[in-house]
Structure formats: structure tokens, C-alpha cells
Amino acid sequence: MTVLDLPAFARYGVLRQAAERITIADIMERLQLRPPNIERSVGALSGGNRQKVMLARALTRELTVFLFDEPSVGIDVGAKLEVYQFMKRLVEAGAAVIVVSSELPEVLALSNRLYVMHHGRIAAELKGAEKTEQNVLSSFFRDHLAAEVA
């Protein structure tokens, strides 16, 4: 529904079903959505496949910035790996990928640059060898403790 205003999918208010089906079939293949049935209700899919449907919505537009908010919540290990590989392909294609996650190992593994946030402010920017669990936690708690003392 989010793409019906695009000329590729609708013209003069009429849905171009053939174009829609071709695009969706291509995206389903890229995301390895299982089972590959475009008529299936999203509610009938597993958590990992629901995540993939959300990604598919974004792929129908030519976006250059993607925001993933808690991308691995509620999905199994196999689906997590697929989502991570998809993010990697987006970056390789030139897109910017922003990941917001409360899973520290996830952000350490996925990020080139990591921002530690505390009370809506940036407490630290870490990159390269600075991106360690110890530095993330000390940056967060240093700011946290300073706020309590003040």
C-alpha cells in the first residue's frame, strides 16, 4: 500500500498488478521470504519473515538511508543472520544503514561507527579499535554517574 503512488505501480489511480507482482517476486527472492507466496497474510508469517516484509516495503522505493530499530528482536538466529547479510548488501550498494539496538554484541558487530546515547545526548563516539564493550559501558556509565552526582 505504501507504494501505490509510484508510477511503476499505479497509473491514473489504477493498480498495475503485473508490475506489482514482478517487483514483489524479485524482492521476495532477494530477501529469501518463505514461503514465497505474495498473497499470504503477514500475520500468518514467522517473526523473521515479518521483519523481511518490512524490509520489502522499503525496497520498493529508491532509498539511500535505512533505519533499523531493534532489528533482531523476536526472530530466530537464522533470520538474524539473513537480516545482517541484507544490511551488509545495502551498505555495499552505497546506502547508509543506521542501527538502533539495545543488544551490545549486535551493535559492536554491525557498526563502523558507534554512538553511545545517554538521556537523549551523545555520550561518546567510538570507531575502529575504540569500539569495545568496555568503552561503550564506561562511556554510558561515566555520563550516567556524572548526571547523578550533579
Side-chain angles (χ1 to χ4, degrees):
M1 296 297 292
T2 62
V3 296
L4 293 182
D5 62 328
L6 296 177
F9 298 106
R11 186 156 287 148
Y12 306 112
V14 177
L15 182 62
R16 299 173 68 195
Q17 291 181 338
E20 175 193 32
R21 287 183 178 280
I22 290 168
T23 301
I24 291 172
D26 176 58
I27 291 171
M28 287 178 67
E29 182 61 33
R30 286 171 53 195
L31 294 176
Q32 300 173 346
L33 189 64
R34 301 290 177 244
N37 177 357
I38 66 172
E39 300 299 330
R40 188 166 187 172
S41 168
V42 174
L45 298 173
S46 68
N49 280 315
R50 287 181 189 180
Q51 293 280 61
K52 291 177 187 181
V53 168
M54 297 306 292
L55 295 174
R57 289 177 57 191
L59 291 177
T60 57
R61 296 189 179 268
E62 294 186 24
L63 302 175
T64 56
V65 178
F66 292 83
L67 172 64
F68 291 85
D69 187 5
E70 300 290 351
S72 63
V73 170
I75 60 176
D76 63 48
V77 174
K80 283 182 189 184
L81 181 60
E82 289 177 15
V83 170
Y84 297 158
Q85 290 170 341
F86 175 73
M87 288 182 204
K88 182 180 178 186
R89 288 193 304 271
L90 287 173
V91 170
E92 289 169 350
V97 174
I98 301 167
V99 178
V100 177
S101 178
S102 56
E103 298 290 328
L104 187 52
E106 182 172 69
V107 294
L108 288 171
L110 294 175
S111 63
N112 291 324
R113 184 179 310 146
L114 192 147
Y115 291 94
V116 179
M117 303 291 292
H118 182 71
H119 289 295
R121 292 183 22 248
I122 296 174
E125 176 185 354
L126 306 172
K127 46 189 166 178
E130 299 172 325
K131 285 187 337 167
T132 65
E133 184 174 332
Q134 180 179 349
N135 285 346
V136 170
L137 294 174
S138 67
S139 297
F140 178 80
F141 286 110
R142 178 182 57 238
D143 199 47
H144 180 71
L145 293 173
E148 285 184 2
V149 171

